[in-house]
């Protein structure tokens, strides 16, 4: 079991690039960024280790994944503190750092335990055909800064379970968290099965182009996903692309506003809104519009934002200046476009951290930039509609489709709307809940390929038919 100081000492390199705490501007630690030669070495070592790892078989690899989950749990406090200091999310309260570290253990165990037997496709007088799933080789895992540990585990756990070895490229904004996680995992995994190459986009590009990499698991923006497709073309590396979203929620007229307000709030503001499948635009029927707005303001007033090491806070800062500027700019656009700010929208100038207050903006037209673009932060536009057909049309009107939600008391009416919303996942009376057993992935420009569940295992494997 490491203390926070032990863990930081294991991953920080005093001669490297300084990483600053987004809540205070203080230095958290320093990261050594990989050169192309170091990346080549990591891929070569992962390639060399892969046959033996694959040769262990599912049962032995699953044992390793369970041991990895135990190691995460044994080091949970240190991991959560490092994550909080680097990413900004509060340590304990709400779905924050301790929750993220806990999810890492849950996903490791779930991926260890999914049954994956060969599928018998034909078994009759004509013969027998079976579909097997075999390792691809080396997986490159490129991740974002919002849920850096959890998303790394999402990419790594399934890949390792299927007999691949992995080279992880963390976001340049949150490398220490991922280095800390991998340091813990590597205390129990065999040597060279899991590598990490910190660095910026150029390291990610070199990994995507690398001829020693068989598959790229990517989570991040649509623009980077497109660049990765180009980089991966020559080597024909397979891709899973979990890209940006702008999830719509449709609130039907028969809801109880007070009863849904808490879940609506967390659907939108989890991780201070920095979540791929957060609720990012809310369409509310005119009959309940004022009462939903009022109930949401009531919840928002109860949610303290501040330094994540102070016990009472449930919301933290934006992780970086770039994201802060995007959110601030979109809220200005909303004000210019006639939006009525119900709460927030007035960040304190000259504060040390990237804190943008929880913001709700009503009465916006559907084409305002705060509605049409991904804010990825704590500012939710609330749009009024009178005909559910209009709400469905507006919800489906953007070229993204990660998640969506419907809120209503009549299950049949909610299901009818859910079936018409264009998204990889449609939730009813909740938003953004993920489960390691349930496949997750986007459509349209939110990407393709599935993670989680048996489908997630298959996506990091090659299918192989054996026929006789
Ligand atoms: P980003 O695309 O800027 O960066 C993601 C990663 O790609 C980083 O590690 C970065 O260094 C790397 N990268 C940058 N250029 C590259 C290149 N040319 N080749 C290879 N790698 C490169 O995204 P971000 O700002 O870190 O994350 C925010 C975005 O991610 C949002 O749009 C959000 O919706 C999306 N996201 C999606 C999911 C999902 O599951 N669909 C989850 C989290 C975040």
């Amino acid at each position: 079991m490491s203390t926070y100081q032990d863990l930081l000492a294991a991953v920080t390199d005093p001669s490297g690039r300084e990483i600053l705490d987004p809540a205070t501007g203080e230095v958290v630690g320093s990261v050594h960024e990989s050169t192309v030669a170091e990346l080549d070495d990591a891929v070569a070592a992962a390639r060399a280790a892969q046959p033996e790892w694959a040769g262990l078989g599912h049962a032995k690899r699953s044992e390793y994944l369970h041991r990895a989950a135990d190691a995460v749990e044994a080091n949970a406090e240190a991991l959560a503190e490092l994550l909080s200091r680097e990413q900004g999310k509060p340590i304990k309260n709400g779905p924050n750092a301790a929750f993220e570290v806990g999810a890492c253990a849950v996903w490791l165990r779930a991926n260890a335990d999914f049954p994956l037997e060969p599928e018998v496709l034909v078994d009759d007088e004509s013969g027998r055909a079976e579909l097997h799933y075999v390792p691809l080789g080396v997986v490159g895992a490129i991740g974002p800064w919002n849920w850096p540990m959890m998303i790394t585990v999402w990419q790594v756990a399934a890949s390792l379970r299927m007999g691949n070895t992995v080279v992880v490229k963390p976001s340049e904004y949150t490398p220490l968290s991922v280095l800390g996680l991998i340091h813990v995992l590597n205390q129990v995994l065999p040597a060279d099965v899991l590598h990490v190459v910190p660095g910026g986009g150029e390291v990610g590009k070199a990994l995507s182009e690398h001829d020693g990499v068989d598959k790229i698991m990517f989570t991040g923006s649509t623009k980077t996903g497109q660049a990765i497709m180009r980089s991966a073309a020559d080597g024909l590396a397979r891709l899973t692309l979990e890209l940006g979203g702008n999830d719509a929620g449709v609130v039907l007229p028969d809801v109880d506003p007070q009863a849904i307000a808490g879940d609506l709030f967390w659907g939108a503001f989890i991780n201070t809104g920095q979540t791929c499948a957060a609720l990012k635009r809310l369409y509310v029927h005119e009959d309940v519009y004022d009462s939903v707005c009022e109930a949401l303001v009531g919840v928002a007033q109860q949610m303290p934002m501040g330094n994540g090491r102070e016990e009472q806070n449930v919301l933290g800062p934006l992780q970086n200046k770039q994201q802060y500027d995007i959110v601030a700019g979109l809220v200005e656009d909303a004000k210019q476009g006639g939006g009525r700010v119900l709460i927030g929208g007035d960040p304190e100038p000259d504060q040390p951290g990237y804190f943008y207050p929880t913001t709700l903006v009503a009465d916006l037209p559907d084409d305002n930039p705060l509605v049409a673009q991904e804010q990825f932060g704590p500012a939710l536009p609330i749009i009024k509609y009178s005909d559910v057909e209009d709400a469905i049309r507006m919800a489906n009107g953007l070229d993204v489709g990660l998640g969506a939600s419907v809120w209503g008391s009549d299950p049949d009416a909610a299901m009818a709307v859910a079936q018409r919303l264009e998204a990889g996942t449609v939730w009813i009376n909740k938003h953004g809940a993920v489960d390691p057993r349930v496949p997750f992935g986007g459509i349209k420009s939110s990407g393709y390929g599935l993670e989680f569940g048996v489908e997630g295992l298959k996506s990091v494997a090659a299918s192989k038919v054996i026929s006789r």
Side-chain angles (χ1 to χ4, degrees):
M1 191 177 84
S2 313
T3 64
Y4 167 68
Q5 291 302 341
D6 295 338
L7 185 65
L8 182 63
V11 298
T12 200
D13 177 341
S15 66
R17 182 172 64 84
E18 284 184 344
I19 301 290
L20 307 183
D21 181 336
T24 62
E26 289 164 9
V27 176
V28 179
S30 302
V31 62
H32 167 78
E33 304 202 307
S34 297
T35 61
V36 172
E38 286 166 334
L39 168 68
D40 286 343
D41 289 348
V43 173
R47 263 215 109 65
Q50 194 268 330
E52 194 174 327
W53 175 245
L56 290 178
H58 283 287
K60 278 265 174 326
R61 290 196 301 269
S62 291
E63 274 175 33
Y64 274 110
L65 291 188
H66 276 288
R67 265 183 256 161
D70 294 342
V72 167
E73 283 167 351
N75 293 281
E77 278 191 26
L79 287 166
E81 183 166 353
L82 181 57
L83 177 60
S84 176
R85 286 183 187 276
E86 183 179 59
Q87 203 284 332
K89 62 187 74 186
I91 296 189
K92 286 213 176 79
N93 288 336
N96 284 305
F99 165 87
E100 179 167 350
V101 172
C104 292
V106 169
W107 255 263
L108 283 161
R109 289 195 203 290
N111 276 281
D113 292 343
F114 294 132
L116 185 64
E117 300 298 328
E119 293 162 33
V120 179
L121 306 172
V122 175
D123 191 14
D124 59 20
E125 61 288 351
S126 69
R128 182 177 166 96
E130 294 172 356
L131 183 57
H132 294 245
Y133 292 92
V134 300
L136 288 164
V138 176
V139 172
I142 304 177
W145 46 261
N146 55 342
W147 294 91
M149 290 186 182
M150 187 172 76
I151 289 175
T152 299
V153 164
W154 289 357
Q155 299 172 329
V156 162
S159 300
L160 290 179
R161 161 69 198 276
M162 291 309 294
N164 306 289
T165 53
V166 185
V167 178
V168 173
K169 207 300 280 175
S171 167
E172 55 273 42
Y173 290 111
T174 51
L176 298 172
S177 301
V178 175
L179 284 165
L181 172 75
I182 290 180
H183 172 75
V184 166
L185 298 179
N186 274 339
Q187 288 170 357
V188 296
L189 292 172
D192 288 328
V193 157
L194 179 60
H195 285 262
V196 55
V197 286
E202 66 297 338
V203 179
K205 182 168 186 291
L207 184 63
S208 333
E209 292 173 342
H210 207 290
D211 60 7
V213 172
D214 302 284
K215 161 117 195 178
I216 295 286
M217 301 285 290
F218 173 69
T219 298
S221 64
T222 299
K223 190 162 160 274
T224 306
Q226 290 164 330
I228 287 175
M229 277 189 93
R230 288 184 209 105
S231 301
D234 283 350
L236 283 177
R238 293 154 192 241
L239 302 174
T240 293
L241 300 176
E242 298 282 6
L243 309 178
N246 195 344
D247 290 11
V250 176
V251 177
L252 300 176
D254 65 349
V255 294
D256 172 351
Q258 288 295 336
I260 64 168
D263 288 338
L264 278 178
F265 180 86
W266 280 113
F269 291 93
I270 182 169
N271 201 28
T272 316
Q274 303 163 110
T275 298
C276 51
L279 180 49
K280 291 173 181 155
R281 46 195 175 114
L282 187 61
Y283 298 93
V284 182
H285 191 271
E286 59 187 359
D287 288 358
V288 287
Y289 189 78
D290 290 338
S291 36
V292 168
C293 288
E294 198 182 312
L296 269 173
V297 170
V299 175
Q301 284 166 337
Q302 307 301 316
M303 300 294 176
M305 177 185 285
N307 186 320
R309 265 73 63 217
E310 289 164 13
E311 188 80 19
Q312 76 279 7
N313 294 323
V314 297
L315 298 168
L318 273 313
Q319 203 281 328
N320 53 69
K321 170 90 168 57
Q322 182 189 314
Q323 198 59 47
Y324 180 95
D325 289 344
I326 290 172
V327 174
L330 288 173
V331 174
E332 277 314 307
D333 288 341
K335 289 180 186 166
Q336 302 289 325
R340 179 165 54 98
V341 177
L342 303 176
I343 188 171
D346 54 349
E348 275 178 38
D350 307 325
Q351 57 187 353
Y354 302 126
F355 290 101
Y356 196 91
T358 302
T359 299
L360 296 164
V361 187
D363 301 349
L364 280 173
D366 194 45
D367 60 355
N368 185 275
L370 181 60
V371 185
Q373 294 172 28
E374 185 186 30
Q375 68 278 55
F376 215 62
L380 180 68
I382 311 172
I383 304 104
K384 192 188 287 186
Y385 73 87
S386 37
D387 181 340
V388 72
E389 291 301 320
D390 289 335
I392 294 169
R393 181 183 47 74
M394 291 188 284
N396 290 340
L398 298 179
D399 184 32
V400 282
L402 191 56
S405 57
V406 192
W407 304 74
S409 299
D410 174 353
D412 293 338
M415 178 57 98
V417 175
Q419 283 174 337
R420 294 178 59 197
L421 292 180
E422 295 167 2
T425 303
V426 182
W427 290 279
I428 295 179
N429 292 326
K430 56 186 181 177
H431 196 113
V434 289
D435 181 316
R437 298 165 299 182
V438 180
F440 175 74
I443 59 169
K444 299 175 158 178
S445 63
S446 294
Y448 56 77
L450 289 171
E451 293 186 278
F452 314 165
V454 175
E455 294 305 320
L457 296 184
K458 291 177 182 175
S459 79
V460 282
S463 50
K464 175 174 175 180
V465 172
I466 300 183
S467 180
R468 61 182 154 86

